[in-house]
Amino acid sequence: MAAPVSAIPVQGRGTLRIVTPGQLNERDALQKALESAKPEVLDDLANYIRKQFEAAKRHRTSSGVDDQMLSFLRAYNGEYSPTKKAEIAQFGGSDVFARITAAKCRGATSLLRDIYLSADQPWSIEPSPDPKLPGSVQRDIDAVVGGEAMYLIMNGAPPEKEQLAARKEDLIKAAKLAERAKAKTESVVAERRMNDILVEGKFWEAFSQFLADLPIYHCAIIKGPTIRNAELLTWGDDGAPKMELRPRFFWDRVSPFDLWFTPGAADLTHTDTFERQRMSVTDLYDLIGLPGYHEKNIRETIRRHGSGGLREWNLMFEQERRKIENRGDQSAHDDPMMDCIEYQGRVIGKYLKEWSLVGVEDEEKPYFVTCWMIDQLVIKVMMNPNIRKRPNYYSTSFDKQPGTIYGSGVAEVLSDIQDVMNAALRALVNNMAMASGPQVYFNEELLNPNQNSQLYPWKQWKYTTDPANPQGQPVGFFQPDSNAQELLGVYGRFNEIADEVSTIPRYMTGNQNIGGAGRTASGLAMLMSNANKALQNVAENIDDDVFEPVMQTLYDLVMLTDETGMLRGDESIKVNGVRNVVKQEQDRVRQLEFMQLTANEFDMPIVGPQRAKIIQQVANRLGLEVDIPEPGEQNRGAPQGGGGPGFNPAGGPTPVPEISDANPPRLQTQSLNTVSRRANSE
């Protein structure tokens, strides 16, 4: 007998979350432990951060964001909610799931990765069009003008002020032209070195994960740069390996589940943030002795963890999230990790006095700080080094909504359509199962009591006749109606609606079965162009909200820490994500136009041998998984008259040529270009 379940109302779309008695008992025990525990807040700073964090958690939970993110993650993984699972189990039908949300999210991510992670770098450093001349150059110009004036005076032709001013202006223009050329060369070198910093700091890995989150959740978040020690392998002069610790900039993807912010915030630029981080006892102990860390609080935290663990008990979505993310479903008591809250925000000076931070002078002034807190203990607090006074989190949405950090993702846009497609697919499977064979009915009074009701071929039925109804049938069969075609039509129609609503059509991700305008090259180019308009909006969101501020922050930190002078300070960061989208679209259109212009009797003899390569490039840009054979490949190994081996157009078998030293056997192999092209596509 199945264990009884209970229904707990959850925020969001009016559904109930089904939990087991064990989960209820665990929740009640955790809640009682939290209520009975004495909040041993050791200082005012910890008390202030704890209150702000609790307010942020209550706001997000009450607005239904937690439950919505869980539903988006379920839809992406192809799982039903506990409530829906219970309804399906009660009905006894199929629990098949239409993975349309996952397909669209993966398609959106792949298209965005083509823009930002392709060979075309999505950012650049532009030198100033009016560079500032170094002081030494200014002094040299003044010295040259003064020397020329002295020469003219000594020769009896003193210059006028206008002549000296014009001469100085000409020298300044010439110097600026030379300085502009020099700045352009230096910007290329600085761009290469900054890209090395991004690569070493795992930025592109974090950004790839950011692009995977973007179509799933309300928003995607990337954090950085943060400075951490990296263990690097170096080789000494004697060739011996050596491990060294060096500080580096790092970037990380932050799960939307693990970041809270001030209620009502419109963007992450002017808000306080709370990030939940996972730490082990070893991680915490290794912090003892490092600058800025409070050793007494760290040791107290380790003792508390040994007596029952330190976690944010009222994050009730965590256990279900752990199951969906395939991280196990163990009880919170069995989790060896502890929760650490990293706070980035403003705190008034009176809460910071006892920490003796440098620069804290006014008790009423809010200071921008970063601190780490576990349970009720602050283990470190420091002045935030960001000179722009903003948290180092950067976020945007697939479909932004003005006035809020949370926008809409593909999973949210498709939620209703996903439900309808799931219902149609379940009904289709159930109907196919019912209509796959005949239904049987029989009269129990006529059958032999020992008759087996199982069906199998050539079965013999034992029954007796009814004198009152001698024509009565003891066993009968009927065939249920099949509604497969109608249900497939419903499923296919909503699949087309999903293309329109998500703005990620199937032909954008490699589907060749395109009807209507997509059957011609120009029609397909028009469809691709229209679909790219929506993608340009997403790329613009990423450029404005993430890439540009991330690169600007890195630029600021390089200016503060670099001693080699790789940057002048007057450069500008230029992000080219949207431009790359437009460029790809223009290249695609130009290629199609080139194919149309050269498809004539005059150009074909010239372009003909290369036309297969051009068609292959166009197909690759369109995302079509086709392999265009080069001239001669499609007929290689077969006679010109058609047919296969042994076919002779004149009739009869093809004569087998004599094999000799003068006529060695030749193997039929694929073109190397075809094999290479297929390997690259795979």
Side-chain angles (χ1 to χ4, degrees), residues 49-64:
I49 296 175
R50 172 57 61 180
K51 289 182 178 179
Q52 297 298 317
F53 180 44
E54 294 297 335
K57 287 193 296 184
R58 286 195 302 269
H59 172 74
R60 200 177 80 175
T61 302
S62 61
S63 61

Side-chain angles (χ1 to χ4, degrees), residues 364-421:
E364 305 301 327
K365 178 182 178 180
Y367 293 90
F368 189 49
V369 301
T370 301
C371 69
W372 291 262
M373 182 177 68
I374 300 178
D375 194 32
Q376 308 290 342
L377 301 171
V378 174
I379 61 174
K380 182 182 180 180
V381 60
M382 57 178 283
M383 303 296 290
N384 194 300
N386 193 312
I387 60 177
R388 299 180 184 271
K389 305 301 180 184
R390 60 152 295 166
N392 62 342
Y393 299 93
Y394 307 92
S395 172
T396 193
S397 301
F398 193 89
D399 184 14
K400 289 179 59 176
Q401 297 181 9
T404 178
I405 296 177
Y406 292 137
S408 300
V410 175
E412 182 174 10
V413 172
L414 292 178
S415 58
D416 294 333
I417 297 176
Q418 179 72 74
D419 292 341
V420 175
M421 294 182 69

Side-chain angles (χ1 to χ4, degrees), residues 446-465:
L446 299 181
L447 290 180
N448 189 306
N450 298 324
Q451 177 70 57
N452 184 4
S453 60
Q454 183 180 3
L455 294 177
Y456 52 87
W458 302 101
K459 178 178 179 178
Q460 297 181 357
W461 294 89
K462 301 177 181 179
Y463 65 96
T464 58
T465 58

Side-chain angles (χ1 to χ4, degrees), residues 28 46 57 100 105 188 331 489 519 553 633:
D28 294 340
K57 287 193 296 184
I100 185 65
C105 289
V188 174
S331 171
R519 290 178 295 180
T553 302
E633 290 182 1

Side-chain angles (χ1 to χ4, degrees), residues 629-658:
E630 294 185 1
E633 290 182 1
Q634 60 269 34
N635 295 325
R636 185 172 300 163
Q640 297 295 325
F647 176 79
N648 186 359
T654 301
V656 180
E658 182 180 358

